[in-house]
């Protein structure tokens, strides 16, 4: 096959090779090596689509990306094979439709202005799909750039959506430059425009980090997870429960006893970290497990510890009521230095699957205790951190330190921590995230790391850090998702104009045919 008129003939296999390469890059987009794939995969996929008939490009993107994403999902999302490939098909369908729209509306050999269509479409699509998806912003292209602190600063202005726009615009400009490679001056001007915008973004990020001082007074914090032999019996019981095993009275007693050993260790380690100077202590999500009737006793002991040691204790507790249809209450309780409960927060967004089916969801308002003496303290739990809107409401204003207990698994260790870190940069608060089977981290409102702990690389799963607590002003906190909304609306307007223009051309062509004299 060949490209459009005026271009050199391309080998027939090259676009298909680009398709496979783009799909391969997409499989790396959730890994720690995602930085370069985030830039290249869109360019490769768009090259394939631009060199094919529209529907060939659509089907190719749909099939290959369903396969690639489905294979990745087998490790990322615990669940059935059919369910994982079903989610992959849904994501690939939206992607293929966006590329098809670009092919039909803009197409090869378009003007430089046409390079803006696909980034606007993808940005709007990401925003609006995140609003309706039970997985929130999971899979956003912007997350691939978590390894570039300079680029990440852009989300303090635009949220995820500006970063997604720039990445897709790069893909669009690269293909535009290739299609017009025989027009050197025109290509240089267009590439210079993109390079100028990217240069401004990089300069902004570099300057923001260079001028960033301390965001507030440093506070000694500690995150605690109990694992290993002491937790083995409890973990076996949880696994059996999640897999649908039947529990009798004796099973529940054994489970409560195994869980009690973990809870004792959590209290012991909390005491130890308080003695070592920690002012704020956080347990990882669901690391403490109790039957509902035992919860008051555990809270009483946590209260006594906080009062005696004059610390803030974030007790992440999963309480189970075996007789209830929704047996799980996944909760974060903040105990103050006076032993009182500062606030209680129930996980607002349980993970789709077993947790969502068995949990009592809580309010989507982040609790914030103001003037706590160590900053304004707020809390959320794990999956809540994948929803930017969760931290944009009036209740979250003034939040200076987010306590975010989490529970991950090996396949998402890197990507899930990175996603949470974006929330800190968007809103400008510091964050202590303690993960069970994941990556724990203490970061400030610029995304700078003050402490990090990989659950799978150490036996002492206690994170210690001197974390500055305060708030960094961000434009995103004021304008919210405006960039994503404008992108989506611009795409709809562009599509509408293209439809009207197409109908007008057909109407004029029909009129000319009717006006021609008959033979």
């Amino acid at each position: 096959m060949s490209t459009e008129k005026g271009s050199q003939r391309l080998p027939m296999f090259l676009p298909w090779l680009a398709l496979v390469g783009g799909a391969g890059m997409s499989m790396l987009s959730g890994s720690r090596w995602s930085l370069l794939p985030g830039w290249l995969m869109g360019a490769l996929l768009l090259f394939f689509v631009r060199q094919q008939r529209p529907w060939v490009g659509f089907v190719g993107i749909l099939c290959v990306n369903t396969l690639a994403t489905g294979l990745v999902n087998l490790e990322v999302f615990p669940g059935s094979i059919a369910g994982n490939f079903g989610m992959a098909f849904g994501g690939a369908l939206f992607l293929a439709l966006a590329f098809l729209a670009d092919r039909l509306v803009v197409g090869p050999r378009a003007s430089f202005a046409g390079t803006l269509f696909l980034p606007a479409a993808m940005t709007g699509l990401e925003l609006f799909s995140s609003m309706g998806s039970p997985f929130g912003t999971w899979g956003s292209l912007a997350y691939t750039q978590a390894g570039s602190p300079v680029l990440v600063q852009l989300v303090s202005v635009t949220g995820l959506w500006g970063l997604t726009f720039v990445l897709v615009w790069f893909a669009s400009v690269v293909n535009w430059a290739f299609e017009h490679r025989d027009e050197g001056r025109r290509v240089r001007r267009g590439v210079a425009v993109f390079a100028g915008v990217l240069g401004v973004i990089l300069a902004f990020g570099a300057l923001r980090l260079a001028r960033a001082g301390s965001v507030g007074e440093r506070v000694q914090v500690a995150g605690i997870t109990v694992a290993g032999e002491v937790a083995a019996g409890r973990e076996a019981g949880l696994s059996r429960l999640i897999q649908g095993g039947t529990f009798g009275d004796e099973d529940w007693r054994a489970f409560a006893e195994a869980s009690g050993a973990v809870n004792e260790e959590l209290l012991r380690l909390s005491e130890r970290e308080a003695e070592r100077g920690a002012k704020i202590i956080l347990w990882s999500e669901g690391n403490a497990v109790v039957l509902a009737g035992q919860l008051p006793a555990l809270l009483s002991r946590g209260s006594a510890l906080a009062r005696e040691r004059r610390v803030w204790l974030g007790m992440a507790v999963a309480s189970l009521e075996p007789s209830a249809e929704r047996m799980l209450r996944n909760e974060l309780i903040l105990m103050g230095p006076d032993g009182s409960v500062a606030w209680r927060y129930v996980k607002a967004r349980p993970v789709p699957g077993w947790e969502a089916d068995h949990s009592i969801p809580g309010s989507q308002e982040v609790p914030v205790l103001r003037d706590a003496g160590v900053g304004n303290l707020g809390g959320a739990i794990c999956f809540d951190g994948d929803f930017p809107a969760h931290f944009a409401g009036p209740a979250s204003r003034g939040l200076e330190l987010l306590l975010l207990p989490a529970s991950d698994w090996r396949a998402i260790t890197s990507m899930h921590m990175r996603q949470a870190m974006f929330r800190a940069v968007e809103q400008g608060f510091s964050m202590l995230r303690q993960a069970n089977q994941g990556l724990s981290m203490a970061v400030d409102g610029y995304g700078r790391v003050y402490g990090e702990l990989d659950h799978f690389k150490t036996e002492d799963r206690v994170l210690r850090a001197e974390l500055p607590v305060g708030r960094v002003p961000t434009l995103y906190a004021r304008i919210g998702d405006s960039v994503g909304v404008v992108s989506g609306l611009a795409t709809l307007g562009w599509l509408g104009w293209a439809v009207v223009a197409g109908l007008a051309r057909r109407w004029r062509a029909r009129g000319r045919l009717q006006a021609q004299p008959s033979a």
Side-chain angles (χ1 to χ4, degrees), residues 297-317:
L298 178 63
L299 296 184
S300 177
R301 295 187 62 187
S303 170
L305 188 156
R307 183 176 60 254
E308 292 168 7
R309 295 296 179 180
R310 305 298 298 172
V311 298
W312 295 91
L313 178 62
M315 304 175 68
V317 183

Side-chain angles (χ1 to χ4, degrees), residues 147-344:
S148 174
V150 170
L151 276 174
V152 168
Q153 301 309 306
L154 180 61
V155 306
S156 69
V157 177
T158 67
L160 298 175
W161 325 118
L163 197 44
T164 292
F165 188 98
V166 170
L167 291 168
V168 182
W169 193 22
F170 170 80
S172 195
V173 169
V174 166
N175 278 272
W176 173 85
F178 177 80
E179 291 158 4
H180 294 83
R181 60 191 181 277
D182 52 351
E183 306 174 49
R185 181 176 297 180
R186 183 184 182 193
V187 168
R188 286 193 294 271
R189 286 200 302 265
V191 171
V193 170
F194 175 81
V197 173
L198 182 59
V200 169
I201 292 171
L202 292 172
F204 164 77
L207 184 62
R208 190 170 193 261
L209 287 174
R211 297 183 62 183
S214 176
V215 301
E217 183 178 347
R218 292 202 177 201
V219 178
Q220 187 170 332
V221 300
I224 298 176
T225 298
V226 173
E229 290 185 10
V230 69
R234 199 279 307 277
E235 293 301 313
L238 279 176
S239 178
R240 178 184 165 194
L241 189 65
I242 291 171
Q243 292 172 10
T246 303
F247 273 48
D249 291 343
E250 186 59 36
D251 296 310
W252 282 114
R253 279 193 292 271
F255 178 72
E257 182 177 346
S259 299
V262 176
N263 300 342
E264 288 293 328
E265 185 67 1
L266 281 167
L267 291 166
R268 185 189 73 80
L269 291 175
S270 297
E271 184 93 24
R272 185 191 72 181
E273 295 307 311
E275 289 179 353
R276 292 179 176 181
K279 299 301 181 185
I280 301 174
I281 300 170
L282 176 66
W283 299 351
S284 60
E285 179 190 14
N287 205 210
V289 180
V290 294
L291 299 183
Q294 300 170 338
L295 180 59
L298 178 63
L299 296 184
S300 177
R301 295 187 62 187
S303 170
L305 188 156
R307 183 176 60 254
E308 292 168 7
R309 295 296 179 180
R310 305 298 298 172
V311 298
W312 295 91
L313 178 62
M315 304 175 68
V317 183
S319 57
L320 298 168
E321 180 59 75
S323 62
E325 181 179 351
R326 292 184 174 269
M327 68 171 67
L328 173 61
R329 184 180 178 90
N330 193 345
E331 193 170 12
L332 174 61
I333 303 104
L334 181 64
M335 293 292 181
D338 61 355
S340 65
V341 175
W343 44 250
R344 298 181 69 161

Side-chain angles (χ1 to χ4, degrees), residues 17 130 292 315 366 395 402:
L17 184 62
S130 72
M315 304 175 68
V366 174
L402 176 69

